[in-house]
Amino acid sequence: MLDLTIIKAVSIDLDDTLWPVWPAIERAEVALNAWLGRHAPMTAALFANPSARHDIREQILRTRPELKHNLSAIRREAIRLALYRSKENPLLAEQAFEVFFEVRNQVTLYDDALQALEFLSTRYPVVALSNGNADIARIGLSPYFRASISAQAFGVGKPDPRIFHAAAGAVDVAPENVLHVGDDATLDVLGGLNAGMQTAWVNRADHLWTHEVLPHETVASLAELCDLFRTAETRS
């Protein structure tokens, strides 16, 4: 059971917890392809082939294993390699990636996300904890966060306990006094549990829980999570 009396900080996942990520990625892909169509048409044609795009990404991961957790670098280098293979200017990779990244951060928040961030951030230091490459400053959410820890900056991703411990350390709180909130059963919940944190599983789509150990709390929305805090506050 969730023990809110010992919570001193909250860490929260970003993609698919505060917003649905794939619509943003798909829009970014469209913007990138349109830009390449104007500036590097042979590369655009190459990227239109799913198997070729997959082969390029696999080559990057195989030859640059140090980029495993750096989604931005993987994307940028994939564009660069595609430009090279298409005999177009590899120097266009930076500008092409920026086109993608700008749209990737034009997310549509879940209806309850902003109110939840406002509620939580007035009570606790909140840390963004993500394996993705979303930029909370570009999105406009940085005022709600005391710190932001990403796998690509830290070098290790969830569910590794070290990145959870880094989130706790960023606000000078012991892991057992942190509530980690996220949508992914393995990365967020099991990762948080293994790091010694309390966990809240945000299960918006009513998925079945398939693991032996359980989250401290399961909620259908961030609004439901905030209601738990409100109820605890009225009882104290």
Side-chain angles (χ1 to χ4, degrees), residues 112-113 115-116 204 219-230:
D112 59 356
Q115 287 185 334
R204 296 181 185 274
V219 293
S221 67
L222 292 172
E224 185 178 331
L225 177 67
C226 293
D227 285 341
L228 294 175
F229 280 95
R230 292 188 182 96

Side-chain angles (χ1 to χ4, degrees), residues 170-189:
V171 288
D172 296 319
V173 173
E176 58 267 27
N177 298 124
V178 177
L179 172 64
H180 180 68
V181 181
D183 72 289
D184 192 286
T186 301
L187 300 181
D188 290 306
V189 178

Side-chain angles (χ1 to χ4, degrees), residues 30-41 44 99:
V30 170
L32 172 61
N33 291 339
W35 189 90
L36 289 172
R38 294 191 299 272
H39 300 279
V99 169

Side-chain angles (χ1 to χ4, degrees), residues 4-184:
L4 295 178
T5 64
I6 66 170
I7 298 301
K8 297 180 180 179
V10 174
S11 60
I12 188 165
D13 174 57
L14 300 178
D15 292 329
D16 289 328
T17 297
L18 297 181
W19 56 75
V21 65
W22 285 110
I25 296 293
E26 289 168 0
R27 290 192 299 270
E29 294 276 10
V30 170
L32 172 61
N33 291 339
W35 189 90
L36 289 172
R38 294 191 299 272
H39 300 279
M42 297 301 292
T43 303
L46 180 63
F47 267 156
N49 184 327
S51 62
R53 189 164 51 191
H54 175 76
D55 175 64
I56 288 171
R57 181 181 176 86
E58 288 302 304
Q59 181 173 337
I60 297 299
L61 292 173
R62 186 171 58 254
T63 59
R64 300 288 303 279
E66 75 277 9
L67 301 182
K68 176 182 177 181
H69 298 292
N70 193 330
L71 298 183
S72 292
I74 291 169
R75 173 78 61 170
R76 188 182 294 108
E77 292 309 308
I79 296 171
R80 198 185 317 278
L81 179 56
L83 287 162
Y84 178 81
R85 286 188 179 182
S86 302
K87 295 181 171 53
E88 292 177 317
N89 185 4
L91 295 177
L92 291 173
E94 295 293 338
Q95 190 174 352
F97 172 77
E98 182 57 32
V99 169
F100 171 88
F101 197 56
E102 181 67 24
V103 180
R104 182 263 183 272
N105 283 292
Q106 294 172 6
V107 299
T108 301
L109 296 174
Y110 288 119
D111 290 341
D112 59 356
L114 193 58
Q115 287 185 334
L117 289 174
E118 291 172 346
F119 176 89
L120 293 170
S121 63
T122 59
R123 289 160 172 79
Y124 306 97
V126 179
V127 181
L129 185 58
S130 177
N131 281 6
N133 61 348
D135 186 329
I136 58 172
R138 290 192 188 221
I139 294 169
L141 297 179
S142 53
Y144 301 107
F145 292 95
R146 190 74 59 86
S148 179
I149 309 293
S150 68
Q152 69 178 29
F154 186 65
V156 171
K158 298 177 294 184
D160 191 300
R162 289 174 292 177
I163 194 169
F164 290 93
H165 293 163
V171 288
D172 296 319
V173 173
E176 58 267 27
N177 298 124
V178 177
L179 172 64
H180 180 68
V181 181
D183 72 289
D184 192 286

